[in-house]
Amino acid sequence: MKVDLVHLENIHKSFNGVEVLHGVNLSLNAGEVLALLGENGAGKSTLVKILAGDVPPTSGLITIQSTELARLDVYQARQLGVRMIFQELNDAPSLSVAENIFLGQWPGSNGFVSWKDLNRKAKEVLDRLEVDIPVDAMAGSLRVGERQLLEIARAITQNAKILVLDEPTAALSNVEVDRLFVVMEQLKSQGVGMIYITHRLDEVARVADRVQVLRDGNSVLTTVGKEASRSDLVTAMLGHEAAQNARPTPIISTKKAVEVRNLTSYTEFENVSFSVDEGEVVCIFGKIGSGSAEILESMFGLRPISGGEIMIFGNGFRPKNPGVSAEAGIGYLPADRQRLGSFGSRSVAENLSVRAWHTMGRFGFVKSSLEAIAFNKWADALRINSRRGPTQEIATLSGGNQQKVLLARWFEAKVNVLLLVEPTRGVDVGARRDIYEIIRKQAKESNMAVIVATSDYEEVVLLADRALIMARGKIVSELTGNAVDANTLVSVSS
């Protein structure tokens, strides 16, 4: 017998007179996973924020565990068992793993924390998730994927009845994704209902009992998860059939832009050697922790190198720090674009132009008019959607548009080498396609060498001229042409 945990009926929501949800219905049963899909801007985040009490609906009825409400606040939602794990990290980086897992509920008495009990309970939760993270490690020292698992662990300790997962696998390796899905099955057996927001359509059939698609603030499709074909889901999200994705035509060049010889870090990778030609896109594919992202960090001066050498257009290069690397014509985008890649409270024009400020003014003053010109040029070229043009805060853009702005930052700076870590993490289907097209076009037109570190096998298939596969800190295989396929990537990297 199905137990109705959540029922949202005829939900409308307007912001400043503009309606963004047009009478959406949603239901969730106990022990069920509902995949909620849609492009960025479709209304997914607004709908689940209404459920979590973060945003009040303009009209409609909310029913949670038989309690009917016209609106609810965060406290009420939590009392009713609603927990959210947002795509943006929401931990306390200066506190330990154990302190984060039990944030707000540290064990103890008379005002004293029992650190022994705290660490023991945290270890039990992590063991349940089969996650090997030291409970005394600082959260801020963890990788993005590990910090995401940390937030999932925290939600599990809070006895959630309704769990909303916003892109939980965006930064996870295949092994970590499998581990998460095992935990989700455990939670289902305990009667927990989950709303699962994802852009990874291959996950829907694996994890979802039902799937619901939003487009432009309307619910346009609800169906059984295993019966939902990829093409049907994409058509529902876009409103039309998507163009068929195919392997890119390889770039043919004889000029080496980057040569890496026996590059070694102190702990993350060793004796890594590869080269990248002008105009070529090379993807380094590996699970989180394989060393792929760390190679790019080292090449940009974010991580020390203990051995080996880097050649840029035939000249030896030692990345002492990011400033030296940028001056040498090397650009870099991290996986966590909001925390590490952008200035969230500054405008899109400022974010785009920051690496070219030295050309936009004199005596320490930057001309905003030149920033606006640069933004408008790239906004047209990259199809950046900014409602208020160059003055809009970058944090208010969708994930895909934010990433386009950050890519344009390095294009405007005229870099010769571009290093990208998980470039489409948390980006919807349509924006992914745009970003792949942008990267390849700019590489070809500017003779720019692009190196991408990614754990997304589909990204490699659709973007790479060549693929290097990493496992346990070493390159274990190189694929070219039609040999770059999903099955080979996953099997060799495992």
Side-chain angles (χ1 to χ4, degrees):
M1 179 180 174
K2 293 183 178 180
V3 178
D4 199 4
L5 286 179
V6 174
H7 187 69
L8 305 181
E9 183 177 352
N10 199 27
I11 300 296
H12 290 257
K13 179 60 185 177
S14 297
F15 292 101
N16 300 320
V18 178
E19 190 169 75
V20 297
L21 291 178
H22 313 298
V24 174
N25 297 328
L26 179 146
S27 64
L28 178 69
N29 298 314
E32 178 185 46
V33 175
L34 173 69
L36 186 61
L37 308 181
E39 296 232 86
N40 287 337
K44 306 185 303 297
S45 294
T46 301
L47 188 63
V48 296
K49 285 179 180 178
I50 288 172
L51 173 62
D54 287 327
V55 175
T58 303
S59 64
L61 182 65
I62 303 168
T63 304
I64 301 178
Q65 299 193 70
S66 302
T67 301
E68 292 188 359
L69 301 152
R71 58 184 293 175
L72 73 165
D73 58 30
V74 173
Y75 178 77
Q76 288 174 308
R78 292 179 70 85
Q79 288 293 102
L80 292 168
V82 180
R83 298 291 186 275
M84 289 198 65
I85 299 174
F86 291 103
Q87 181 181 329
E88 294 80 16
L89 294 169
N90 194 31
D91 57 16
S94 61
L95 297 182
S96 73
V97 167
E99 289 169 319
N100 269 277
I101 290 175
F102 288 95
L103 199 61
Q105 47 182 343
W106 294 346
S109 60
N110 300 321
F112 293 93
V113 177
S114 174
W115 299 109
K116 182 178 180 180
D117 286 345
L118 176 66
N119 289 333
R120 175 180 57 78
K121 290 181 177 182
K123 183 67 164 58
E124 289 173 356
V125 174
L126 293 176
D127 286 345
R128 179 181 172 187
L129 288 170
E130 299 180 21
V131 174
D132 186 17
I133 301 174
V135 295
D136 58 351
M138 292 296 105
S141 70
L142 304 180
R143 300 185 184 92
V144 174
E146 292 172 327
R147 294 174 73 178
Q148 182 72 70
L149 288 173
L150 183 58
E151 296 205 32
I152 293 167
R154 185 196 305 157
I156 289 173
T157 69
Q158 297 171 343
N159 298 315
K161 297 297 181 185
I162 300 143
L163 193 60
V164 180
L165 302 166
D166 184 3
E167 294 283 351
T169 64
L172 304 186
S173 68
N174 294 329
V175 171
E176 290 166 328
V177 170
D178 291 340
R179 184 181 304 141
L180 171 62
F181 289 171
V182 169
V183 172
M184 289 175 67
E185 284 296 323
Q186 294 173 350
L187 295 174
K188 283 176 61 176
S189 69
Q190 297 166 16
V192 176
M194 286 163 277
I195 297 175
Y196 187 86
I197 299 173
T198 184
H199 291 306
R200 293 184 169 181
L201 300 185
D202 58 316
E203 295 176 352
V204 173
R206 291 183 60 190
V207 74
D209 299 294
R210 286 187 303 121
V211 57
Q212 184 167 346
V213 179
L214 300 186
R215 185 177 72 244
D216 298 330
N218 295 288
S219 181
V220 295
L221 176 68
T222 302
T223 186
V224 176
K226 295 186 183 301
E227 296 177 359
S229 71
R230 184 185 182 90
S231 61
D232 287 344
L233 294 176
V234 172
T235 299
M237 284 190 288
L238 299 180
H240 57 80
E241 290 188 5
Q244 292 297 312
N245 290 316
R247 286 280 300 129
T249 302
I251 297 296
I252 299 175
S253 173
T254 57
K255 187 171 183 179
K256 291 278 184 284
V258 179
E259 292 181 84
V260 173
R261 301 170 182 169
N262 298 316
L263 199 66
T264 301
S265 78
Y266 289 96
T267 58
E268 303 295 341
F269 56 87
E270 60 179 337
N271 295 326
V272 170
S273 298
F274 63 90
S275 64
V276 186
D277 293 342
E278 281 189 340
E280 187 180 29
V281 179
V282 171
C283 287
I284 306 177
F285 175 75
K287 302 167 185 175
I288 292 174
S290 66
S292 58
E294 288 78 7
I295 290 173
L296 270 58
E297 291 173 0
S298 296
M299 292 179 68
F300 195 62
L302 292 167
R303 181 182 293 272
I305 296 170
S306 60
E309 59 180 338
I310 301 171
M311 307 290 288
I312 305 293
F313 293 102
N315 298 313
F317 173 69
R318 194 75 178 177
K320 297 179 180 178
N321 57 59
V324 169
S325 299
E327 290 298 322
I330 301 173
Y332 171 83
L333 280 186
D336 190 349
R337 60 177 168 270
Q338 292 186 322
R339 191 171 65 92
L340 301 175
S342 66
F343 305 98
S345 62
R346 310 302 296 183
S347 72
V348 289
E350 290 171 306
N351 271 277
L352 187 151
S353 303
V354 63
R355 285 305 314 172
W357 274 351
H358 64 285
T359 69
M360 296 182 175
R362 298 179 63 188
F363 309 117
F365 294 93
V366 177
K367 293 183 178 179
S368 58
S369 60
L370 295 180
E371 289 181 328
I373 290 171
F375 171 78
N376 290 329
K377 175 182 71 174
W378 291 109
D380 290 340
L382 308 187
R383 298 188 291 276
I384 300 172
N385 184 11
S386 175
R387 293 188 302 276
R388 298 195 300 275
T391 63
Q392 184 164 342
E393 289 183 8
I394 191 170
T396 64
L397 299 185
S398 69
N401 282 300
Q402 287 183 38
Q403 194 71 335
K404 290 179 184 180
V405 171
L406 299 183
L407 285 168
R409 171 191 295 171
W410 295 112
F411 299 161
E412 178 68 16
K414 298 180 174 60
V415 297
N416 300 312
V417 178
L418 185 57
L419 311 175
L420 305 174
V421 181
E422 307 285 355
T424 59
R425 175 177 177 249
V427 172
D428 63 44
V429 174
R432 274 174 171 249
R433 189 169 59 250
D434 282 350
I435 289 171
Y436 296 154
E437 179 184 329
I438 287 164
I439 292 171
R440 292 194 58 78
K441 180 179 179 182
Q442 195 66 24
K444 181 178 180 180
E445 292 182 352
S446 303
N447 288 325
M448 180 174 61
V450 180
I451 308 173
V452 180
T454 180
S455 58
D456 187 335
Y457 59 81
E458 186 177 67
E459 185 154 89
V460 180
V461 173
L462 299 179
L463 183 59
D465 293 308
R466 284 188 294 127
L468 307 175
I469 302 178
M470 284 204 73
R472 297 171 293 280
K474 297 182 179 180
I475 293 176
V476 296
S477 183
E478 178 176 338
L479 305 177
T480 58
N482 291 330
V484 182
D485 67 83
N487 289 338
T488 305
L489 289 166
V490 173
S491 61
V492 174
S493 64
S494 298

